[in-house]
Amino acid sequence: MTALAPDTSVRTGRLTLRPFAPADAGRIRAVIGARHAFLPPGAPGHPSGIAQWLAHGVHELRRSGQGVHLAMDADGLIVGAISLFKTLWGAGTTEIGYGVHPLHRGRGYAPEAVRGLTRWAFETTALRRIELRAHLDNTASLRVAEKAGFVREGVLRAAEMEDDGPHDVVVFGLLRSDLA
């Protein structure tokens, strides 16, 4: 496999990880209006870009063969987003990232989604390694990685530049064999 299907959908205990769709426009409009930052990279900053993003932009990663952006749907409500990206099919590697709506944090959605998507990826693709990266000072994301079974592999010093300066990044990895 060198690409993910357009209808990629993963069911976990409480979530359906599914492609974003035009029917999500109202929810995305509310998220953008409230300036909640949990949507995938490239999400529109203004409501006028929502239709274009839902029709094309959010699906570009999948179309390019480099990954997929999925909504975390809990009973019809988008509570977050999760992505596979930087996928190198020849090497069998990808990276996973996620964001949870601020009103739905602390409920275990992120580790549940990460476990579900990684299990699905290992069961249905030739991927052999999934990485997860988190800022060293982001204790919530560090806990998500650990709860999802990822192994802490090291720290990249001053690896990412943010508005407030450089940040150290913790690299976690999960191998197909880790699930056995």
Side-chain angles (χ1 to χ4, degrees):
M1 173 182 283
T2 58
L4 300 170
D7 60 348
T8 297
S9 185
V10 178
R11 184 82 180 118
T12 69
R14 300 175 296 162
L15 300 169
T16 300
L17 311 177
R18 60 159 179 84
F20 285 89
D24 296 324
R27 180 71 175 139
I28 300 302
R29 185 172 288 103
V31 167
I32 291 169
R35 300 201 184 279
H36 294 308
F38 72 87
L39 294 172
H46 189 272
S48 64
I50 293 171
Q52 175 71 16
W53 184 71
L54 288 172
H56 302 289
V58 74
H59 306 294
E60 242 349 272
L61 187 64
R62 182 193 47 78
R63 286 187 192 114
S64 73
Q66 297 175 37
V68 65
H69 294 304
L70 301 170
M72 288 183 204
D73 186 312
D75 298 320
L77 183 65
I78 296 175
V79 297
I82 190 164
S83 304
L84 295 177
F85 57 99
K86 295 183 183 176
T87 304
L88 300 172
W89 293 105
T93 63
T94 194
E95 189 171 334
I96 194 165
Y98 51 85
V100 176
H101 189 292
L103 296 177
H104 299 281
R105 291 180 183 155
R107 299 179 189 182
Y109 287 134
E112 179 178 334
V114 170
R115 281 191 304 269
L117 188 56
T118 56
R119 182 168 299 284
W120 174 87
F122 286 143
E123 290 174 354
T124 64
T125 73
L127 292 170
R128 61 175 187 75
R129 175 183 169 79
I130 300 174
E131 287 186 5
L132 187 156
R133 295 172 183 240
H135 286 183
L136 184 59
D137 58 355
N138 185 342
T139 56
S141 278
L142 299 176
R143 282 194 311 268
V144 167
E146 292 163 355
K147 287 179 180 179
F150 279 69
V151 175
R152 185 177 176 144
E153 297 179 337
V155 176
L156 303 174
R157 296 177 306 138
E160 287 191 12
M161 184 61 76
E162 301 289 338
D163 291 342
D164 62 346
H167 285 261
D168 294 346
V169 175
V170 181
V171 178
F172 292 87
L174 189 68
L175 303 177
R176 175 188 298 274
S177 60
D178 292 337
L179 294 184

